[in-house]
């Protein structure tokens, strides 16, 4: 049984949360409540608590201060953030400090209580069993009832998207990024879930890149959240390109990716790119595969095919001209590679694109 403490200076909000949530259905029990961080600490000195629902804005000791203290004194304690004002930076900081999830007080009444606790329970169970899977799927182990098959399928799709976003391959690969953006917009999940995922992803990204990029967002639906992330990614590349620091592996590989995009139409070898980012060839190849999910040669070929797709759509030049423009002197070999990637010959791809103009 997961022991829960609810910490909120708003008594009505506190009592309301305790009364409306189906705690017992998800192996949880509320063992106490507190009006501020100081009271919460007093309670935890005398009682065992596994999970804390905590408001960020409280008098005496704020939720943020409480998280800082409990991280040291109760390292096994997990937390869920309650935020009325939805202050993006504060919630982001809470995620960096290990918060499992966050609930908007504004939207709490419209949320699915069962799904909220189910998601949190599964994250708690994953922590307690120390599963080796980096991102455990947000699905119950128990077989779903027949009438819930559609809902379960949607959860499976979302779970897969979450894992892909967290893998960060999208940061380096434009095709992966565009696909994830499209699938996220089409997924049948709430804005809050998308926003929460992006917060966690950017916390991870901020930690490994050490870049200082404004995180404030005014997104209010899934589509605007995706557009905001698209803009954030552009700002990441802008900072990386302007930086002369080669000590951070992640930013060095981002520099390499940008260099490949600029030079893709020329003869290009891994040694040249490695030298550009001040790495040995072997270490560069190792890091490049780990971070991008592709070998250097596969990535270069993908970039060239993407450039070819643009040229086929935007110009009326011959296939041989397009092949040469993206770095291939042999148009037959280019057509073979293009077919392997798109399952269409260059001429078929162009015809299919222009068919929409009719």
């Amino acid at each position: 049984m997961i022991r829960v403490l609810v910490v909120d200076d708003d008594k009505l909000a506190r009592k309301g949360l305790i009364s409306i949530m189906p705690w017992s259905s998800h192996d949880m029990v509320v063992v106490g409540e507190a009006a501020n961080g100081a009271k919460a600490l007093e309670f935890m000195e005398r009682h065992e608590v596994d999970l804390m629902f905590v408001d960020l804005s409280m008098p005496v000791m704020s939720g943020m201060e409480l998280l800082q203290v409990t991280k040291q004194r109760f390292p096994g304690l997990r937390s869920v953030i309650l935020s009325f004002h939805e202050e993006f930076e504060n919630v982001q900081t809470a995620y960096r400090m290990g918060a499992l999830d966050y609930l908007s007080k504004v939207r709490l009444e419209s949320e699915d209580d069962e799904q909220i606790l189910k998601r949190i329970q599964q994250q708690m169970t994953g922590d307690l069993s120390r599963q080796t899977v980096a991102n455990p799927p947000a699905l119950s182990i128990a077989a779903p009832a027949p009438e819930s098959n559609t809902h379960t399928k949607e959860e499976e799709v979302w779970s897969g998207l979450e894992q892909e976003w967290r893998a960060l391959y999208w940061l380096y690969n434009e095709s992966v990024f565009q696909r994830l953006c499209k699938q996220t917009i089409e997924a049948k999940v709430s804005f809050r879930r998308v926003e929460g995922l992006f917060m966690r992803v950017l916390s991870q990204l901020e930690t490994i890149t050490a870049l200082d990029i404004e995180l404030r967002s005014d997104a209010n639906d899934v589509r605007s959240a995706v557009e905001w992330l698209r803009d954030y990614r552009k700002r990441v590349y802008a900072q990386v390109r302007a930086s002369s620091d080669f000590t951070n592996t992640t930013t060095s590989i981002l520099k390499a990716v940008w260099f490949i995009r600029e030079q893709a139409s020329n003869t290009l070898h891994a040694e040249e790119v490695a030298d550009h980012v001040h790495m040995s060839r072997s270490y560069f190849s190792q890091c490049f595969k780990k971070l991008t999910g592709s070998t250097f040669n596969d990535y270069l070929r993908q970039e060239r095919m993407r450039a070819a797709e643009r040229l086929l759509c935007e110009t009326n030049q011959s296939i041989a001209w397009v092949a040469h423009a993206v770095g291939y002197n042999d148009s037959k070999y280019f057509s073979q590679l293009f077919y392997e990637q798109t399952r269409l010959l260059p001429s078929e791809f162009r015809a299919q694109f222009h068919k929409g103009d009719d």
Side-chain angles (χ1 to χ4, degrees):
M1 188 68 75
I2 299 170
R3 294 159 295 195
V4 177
L5 174 65
V6 177
V7 188
D8 194 323
D9 63 313
D10 185 334
K11 185 176 180 179
L12 290 177
R14 195 168 69 238
K15 295 293 185 184
L17 182 67
I18 293 172
S19 64
I20 66 172
M21 288 293 195
W23 306 102
S24 60
S25 299
H26 298 276
D27 201 29
M28 297 183 190
V29 58
V30 178
V31 295
E33 56 183 287
N36 57 58
K39 293 287 185 182
L41 286 176
E42 290 178 12
F43 182 89
M44 285 185 281
E45 294 290 353
R46 303 190 305 271
H47 304 87
E48 292 289 331
V49 176
D50 304 305
L51 176 64
M52 177 174 63
F53 281 69
V54 56
D55 184 20
L56 288 183
S57 301
M58 296 183 293
V60 184
M61 177 185 282
S62 71
M64 200 65 70
E65 292 169 322
L66 177 60
L67 288 175
Q68 291 172 340
V69 174
T70 55
K71 188 175 182 180
Q72 301 298 322
R73 290 170 61 177
F74 305 99
L77 176 70
R78 302 314 306 270
S79 58
V80 174
I81 304 305
L82 301 171
S83 173
F84 182 78
H85 300 294
E86 299 182 48
E87 301 168 79
F88 196 89
E89 287 84 355
N90 286 342
V91 176
Q92 188 79 5
T93 301
Y95 274 124
R96 286 197 292 269
M97 296 170 67
L100 286 177
D101 211 326
Y102 111 96
L103 305 180
S104 163
K105 289 185 178 182
V106 175
R107 292 192 292 269
L108 190 57
E109 291 184 3
S110 62
E111 293 280 358
D112 185 331
D113 299 338
E114 289 285 350
Q115 285 302 313
I116 290 172
L117 291 189
K118 179 181 177 182
R119 184 170 68 246
I120 294 167
Q121 179 196 24
Q122 286 159 355
Q123 291 185 77
M124 290 288 292
T125 304
D127 283 350
L128 294 173
S129 62
R130 297 186 182 279
Q131 294 176 354
T132 56
V133 179
N135 297 297
L139 294 172
S140 172
I141 296 174
E147 63 269 18
S148 66
N149 283 345
T150 301
H151 182 71
T152 302
K153 181 64 176 177
E154 291 170 1
E155 283 294 312
E156 288 177 350
V157 169
W158 177 244
S159 176
L161 283 173
E162 281 188 317
Q163 292 186 47
E164 286 204 78
W165 279 116
R166 290 174 176 173
L168 294 183
Y169 293 156
W170 57 269
L171 183 61
Y172 311 88
N173 191 308
E174 184 68 24
S175 297
V176 171
F177 179 67
Q178 297 300 341
R179 174 176 59 78
L180 284 179
C181 287
K182 182 176 183 292
Q183 291 177 335
T184 299
I185 291 172
E186 293 173 350
K188 296 179 179 178
V189 295
S190 68
F191 165 62
R192 197 206 65 77
R193 292 187 73 178
V194 172
E195 183 184 43
L197 170 63
F198 285 175
M199 287 180 181
R200 290 189 289 274
V201 167
L202 294 187
S203 293
Q204 177 187 354
L205 183 58
E206 187 181 52
T207 300
I208 62 177
T209 62
L211 295 174
D212 182 22
I213 298 177
E214 173 64 49
L215 290 173
R216 184 173 294 279
S217 165
D218 58 359
N220 54 20
D221 57 28
V222 172
R223 188 175 293 275
S224 60
V226 168
E227 289 305 312
W228 175 81
L229 185 65
R230 196 187 301 278
D231 179 66
Y232 183 92
R233 184 172 179 266
K234 289 179 182 176
R235 286 183 285 156
V236 167
Y237 273 98
Q239 278 207 16
V240 165
R241 290 173 64 198
S243 171
S244 58
D245 179 19
F246 291 92
T247 61
N248 183 291
T249 301
T250 300
T251 55
S252 291
I253 296 302
L254 285 169
K255 281 180 176 290
V257 163
W258 190 264
F259 183 71
I260 292 169
R261 289 177 187 172
E262 290 185 321
Q263 302 295 323
S265 61
N266 302 320
T267 302
L268 194 60
H269 301 287
E271 290 87 350
E272 297 172 60
V273 185
D275 184 61
H276 179 73
V277 294
H278 303 182
M279 287 183 175
S280 68
R281 186 195 181 285
S282 59
Y283 184 58
F284 166 76
S285 297
Q286 177 187 341
C287 293
F288 191 88
K289 176 67 163 61
K290 179 181 178 181
L291 295 182
T292 68
S294 301
T295 64
F296 169 78
N297 287 332
D298 284 346
Y299 189 92
L300 178 60
R301 182 167 59 251
Q302 290 169 17
E303 282 299 311
R304 285 174 168 173
M305 293 305 108
R306 282 187 62 251
E309 288 178 1
R310 288 196 301 273
L311 290 173
L312 288 168
C313 294
E314 296 170 4
T315 75
N316 292 317
Q317 297 287 352
S318 69
I319 304 302
W321 183 92
V322 171
H324 184 76
V326 298
Y328 297 101
N329 293 324
D330 185 336
S331 61
K332 288 185 178 180
Y333 179 58
F334 161 73
S335 294
Q336 177 187 332
L337 293 177
F338 191 89
Y339 182 82
E340 288 175 1
Q341 178 136 333
T342 66
R343 290 301 171 213
L344 292 170
L345 292 171
S347 56
E348 294 172 333
F349 182 89
R350 172 178 273 167
Q352 191 174 88
F353 174 78
H354 287 298
K355 187 176 181 181
D357 297 337
D358 297 338

